[in-house]
Amino acid sequence: MNFLTDNIKSLYGKFLFASMASALVMSIYSFVDTIAVGQSEGPIGAAAMAVINPIYEIIVFLGILCGVGGSVLMSIAKGEGKEEKGNAYFSASVLLMSVLTAIVWSALALFSKQIFTFFGADETTLPKVMEYAVWLIRFFPVFVAPTFIGSFVRNDGAPGLAMTAVVIGGCVNIFGDWFFVFPLGMGMKGAALATVTGTSLQVLIMCIHFFRKKCGLKIAAPFHFGRALRNILSIGFGASILNLGTVILAIIINNQITKYGGNNALSVYGAVGTISSLFQALYCGVGQAIQPLVSSNFGAKKKERVQTLFRLSLLTVIGLGIVFTAIGECFPLAIIKLFMAATPEVIAAAPAIIRTYFIVFLFMGTTVLSTYYLQSVMKNRMSIVIAALRSLVFSGLLMFILPLFLGLNGVLLAMPVSELIVAVIALIYIKRSA
């Protein structure tokens, strides 16, 4: 597989399939957990999962920050023929990932109840939250590892192994959710144990790559270590800020929905937020699919191939957005009944919440893809600007302003309006800088 000479559409198809499958199964972990918990614990369990979801975004944030940041630089260096420099970036990323994981893990272990209260838990939901979250905290490094390792494995020419690991781990997690939650009656704890088991298996399978002859990932002494870390963080932050912004927004949304709609509305958002994480992961999968190809061809100064990859990926996310939005508009009650044993109050609230929020998916793909593309062609500052506008600035402001006039609908409309504005800004910049 030659990134610089093979047919670009064929390469894109191979990486898209592997990356989308990995993203799909990774997100199914929390997706199936939410269904299992909602069906066994009812609306309170679904509301608890809404509070827990920001932890998953923190996990992905750390993995992308170090994994994508380091793997992009590694791919560019190897595309330029600088093998040792590429491996030095890999080694620096491993060290950075280890330090950041230890810091966040310690904070979660020491201040878990305070953190989840800040995330939107109250006296009703906090016991259910802690029943699940204690297992996430105990095995926190295991949860961070797949995104980080997968970034390097894909960039080292083994996207199939990364996909296989995610699929097998996901299948084990799905089976575990059923077995632990229902036959064994373990509830929240059972869903958490299923996720721990599936994720651990996924990490073990990915690590097989390091023992294969074709593995190009080697430990090398990082040179200009401080500069290497700054470069990794600069590039990785452009992609990972999407997830950091999602954490912040999830906290704001949880609290705003509770304020304007109560726990019934929060339980509906528990389902909607899980679906949103799944769809955003699929958009990220498109971005991750083009990242090694764009980075390598950019390093080799093959501009036409880079532009072709962006056009193909943009068409992909637009098509996905139309399908995703149509699902919410057409089947809101089916969605809520899938995720929980809903009460009449929840069923009455669900259609308006789901239909309003699902408009966001028409525009989300373009903003997510743009951040991956821009950081892959070393437009790091603009990548961060786009991600910050999308995840923090416009959405954060609108989340507080619109509810003053529209109530709960204002909370739900804040994201679609923000995504539309930022998508237009991103496309104009990419076109002008091409």
Side-chain angles (χ1 to χ4, degrees), residues 93-348:
S93 299
V94 171
L95 180 58
L96 178 63
M97 182 78 262
S98 301
V99 172
L100 292 179
T101 298
I103 293 171
V104 177
W105 191 16
S106 299
L108 287 171
L110 292 172
F111 308 107
S112 57
K113 290 186 179 179
Q114 295 90 329
I115 289 171
F116 286 113
T117 299
F118 179 65
F119 284 0
D122 59 18
E123 64 277 2
T124 303
T125 56
L126 186 59
K128 291 295 181 184
V129 169
M130 293 307 302
E131 190 177 339
Y132 185 103
V134 65
W135 295 96
L136 282 181
I137 295 169
R138 288 174 182 173
F139 291 88
F140 187 75
V142 174
F143 286 97
V144 175
T147 301
F148 176 77
I149 297 173
S151 295
F152 283 98
V153 169
R154 281 190 294 270
N155 275 269
D156 200 39
L161 178 65
M163 179 187 70
T164 300
V166 174
V167 169
I168 293 176
C171 289
V172 169
N173 182 52
I174 292 169
F175 173 79
D177 273 323
W178 167 78
F179 184 69
F180 292 138
V181 174
F182 297 107
L184 297 186
M186 297 176 69
M188 302 283 292
K189 178 182 177 181
L193 285 174
T195 304
V196 168
T197 305
T199 305
S200 300
L201 180 59
Q202 180 187 347
V203 173
L204 291 173
I205 294 172
M206 282 188 180
C207 286
I208 292 172
H209 181 69
F210 296 103
F211 301 95
R212 300 199 296 187
K213 289 183 179 179
K214 66 178 184 179
C215 176
L217 301 172
K218 310 294 181 184
I219 296 296
F223 50 89
H224 304 300
F225 187 60
R227 187 189 306 167
L229 291 182
R230 287 195 298 272
N231 291 339
I232 291 168
L233 291 172
S234 175
I235 293 176
F237 193 69
S240 63
I241 194 175
L242 290 170
N243 299 90
L244 178 61
T246 300
V247 173
I248 296 171
L249 280 177
I251 296 168
I252 296 172
I253 291 173
N254 285 347
N255 285 282
Q256 289 291 85
I257 286 180
T258 301
K259 178 180 178 180
Y260 288 98
N263 274 335
N264 284 330
L266 183 61
S267 67
V268 177
Y269 181 70
V272 170
T274 301
I275 295 170
S276 183
S277 296
L278 170 64
F279 290 170
Q280 179 169 306
L282 291 174
Y283 290 137
C284 289
V286 179
Q288 290 167 7
I290 68 167
Q291 179 265 309
L293 302 174
V294 168
S295 297
S296 297
N297 282 277
F298 178 77
K301 297 179 169 48
K302 293 182 177 288
K303 184 177 180 180
E304 185 177 342
R305 288 169 67 86
V306 170
Q307 292 175 345
T308 299
L309 284 165
F310 180 72
R311 287 194 297 270
L312 289 171
S313 56
L314 182 60
L315 289 173
T316 302
V317 297
I318 290 173
L320 289 173
I322 293 170
V323 173
F324 294 162
T325 302
I327 291 172
E329 299 301 321
C330 296
F331 308 109
L333 287 179
I335 289 171
I336 205 63
K337 289 179 180 179
L338 171 66
F339 275 91
M340 71 186 78
T343 62
E345 294 80 9
V346 170
I347 290 175

Side-chain angles (χ1 to χ4, degrees), residues 55 91 115 190 405:
I55 291 294
S91 304
I115 289 171
F405 305 97

